[in-house]
Amino acid sequence: NPYSVLVLKLSSALATVLLINHFIACGWYYVGLEGNPSRNWIMLSQLDGQPFGEVYVSAMHWSLTQFMPATNNIGPDNVFERLFAIMTVLVAVCLFSSLVGSITAAVGSFRQVQAEKLKQEASVRAFFEERKLSAELFDAMREHGQESQKGREIAVDVTTKMSDIKLFRDCPESLKLRLNEEVFMPAFQHPAWIQKDVMDPGFLLKGCHT
């Protein structure tokens, strides 16, 4: 399902960002604790003596803002923290561009799949309308197309030629026989042919399928 694939890709990208930011937040927390004991971001932010959870969330917030165009009231207060912040920004520049690219590619791929599905449906519908085929056969073909699209893409050019519609080539033999019969059987009703009721039905069906 294209929707599931898109959600899976976006969730994977988000989980990767959160995991990387978790390690950066831990490093930022460690630098604040083990760096300059008199000047550090923990004291500057008035978090000294606060519970671990509150300090960790603040560190995680700081880490996320290095990756996104966002602001926060936490900043480095000594040379060690500034060096750590510089390295974090450099890493964030590379990872953020990669993240945006992967999300753009995932959304673009999803749109392409949807466009191909619409093109195929329009192609099949035009084929059936031009030849005035039965709605029952159209529903059977469409149901097969929906089943065959699960887990793979079916690309079809917008055309009404039977040989160019991939769905028709992939459908079961029983549907192919029904399709050929409805498409070609009317040709035997033309006045140039011998009347249908005096010809062998088996011969007519064989002519439709060859």
Side-chain angles (χ1 to χ4, degrees), residues 1-71:
N1 190 321
Y3 293 99
S4 301
V5 173
L6 178 62
V7 171
L8 182 61
K9 289 183 177 179
L10 294 179
S11 301
S12 177
L14 180 60
T16 301
V17 170
L18 290 177
L19 180 62
I20 294 174
N21 278 271
H22 164 73
F23 289 110
I24 293 177
C26 291
W28 181 242
Y29 188 19
Y30 177 81
V31 170
L33 288 177
E34 302 297 331
N36 193 328
S38 59
R39 289 183 54 190
N40 54 65
W41 70 268
I42 297 177
M43 298 178 62
L44 182 65
S45 304
Q46 299 180 352
L47 294 172
D48 192 22
Q50 297 300 320
F52 168 79
E54 184 175 350
V55 182
Y56 171 79
V57 170
S58 300
M60 188 67 168
H61 180 208
W62 175 86
S63 178
L64 288 171
T65 56
Q66 309 309 303
F67 284 72
M68 315 294 177
T71 59

Side-chain angles (χ1 to χ4, degrees), residues 2-210:
Y3 293 99
S4 301
V5 173
L6 178 62
V7 171
L8 182 61
K9 289 183 177 179
L10 294 179
S11 301
S12 177
L14 180 60
T16 301
V17 170
L18 290 177
L19 180 62
I20 294 174
N21 278 271
H22 164 73
F23 289 110
I24 293 177
C26 291
W28 181 242
Y29 188 19
Y30 177 81
V31 170
L33 288 177
E34 302 297 331
N36 193 328
S38 59
R39 289 183 54 190
N40 54 65
W41 70 268
I42 297 177
M43 298 178 62
L44 182 65
S45 304
Q46 299 180 352
L47 294 172
D48 192 22
Q50 297 300 320
F52 168 79
E54 184 175 350
V55 182
Y56 171 79
V57 170
S58 300
M60 188 67 168
H61 180 208
W62 175 86
S63 178
L64 288 171
T65 56
Q66 309 309 303
F67 284 72
M68 315 294 177
T71 59
N72 69 88
N73 59 349
I74 298 175
D77 198 34
N78 59 61
V79 64
F80 299 106
E81 294 176 355
R82 292 191 185 279
L83 289 174
F84 185 88
I86 291 173
M87 290 187 293
T88 300
V89 170
L90 293 176
V91 172
V93 168
C94 298
L95 291 181
F96 182 73
S97 59
S98 176
L99 172 64
V100 173
S102 63
I103 292 177
T104 302
V107 174
S109 177
F110 172 76
R111 290 178 176 176
Q112 183 178 5
V113 171
Q114 295 300 105
E116 292 295 338
K117 291 168 65 176
L118 292 176
K119 286 170 60 179
Q120 174 170 285
E121 184 174 351
S123 175
V124 175
R125 188 180 297 277
F127 183 91
F128 273 74
E129 288 178 353
E130 288 181 2
R131 290 159 177 78
K132 296 180 174 57
L133 305 181
S134 65
E136 179 186 359
L137 180 57
F138 174 78
D139 292 337
M141 282 290 182
R142 185 169 57 178
E143 181 179 354
H144 166 70
Q146 292 174 351
E147 290 295 327
S148 63
Q149 287 178 21
K150 292 181 180 180
R152 64 186 182 93
E153 298 178 13
I154 299 179
V156 179
D157 293 331
V158 179
T159 176
T160 56
K161 295 180 180 180
M162 183 187 298
S163 60
D164 293 335
I165 300 181
K166 190 174 186 298
L167 174 61
F168 292 165
R169 299 198 301 267
D170 294 341
C171 68
E173 192 65 26
S174 58
L175 287 179
K176 289 182 181 179
L177 295 178
R178 291 178 56 188
L179 178 63
N180 289 333
E181 182 178 345
E182 291 200 19
V183 170
F184 298 113
M185 186 64 77
F188 292 101
Q189 299 175 349
H190 194 275
W193 288 85
I194 302 175
Q195 292 185 357
K196 182 180 176 181
D197 56 355
V198 299
M199 295 188 66
D200 182 12
F203 171 78
L204 294 177
L205 292 177
K206 184 178 181 180
C208 293
H209 304 325
T210 56

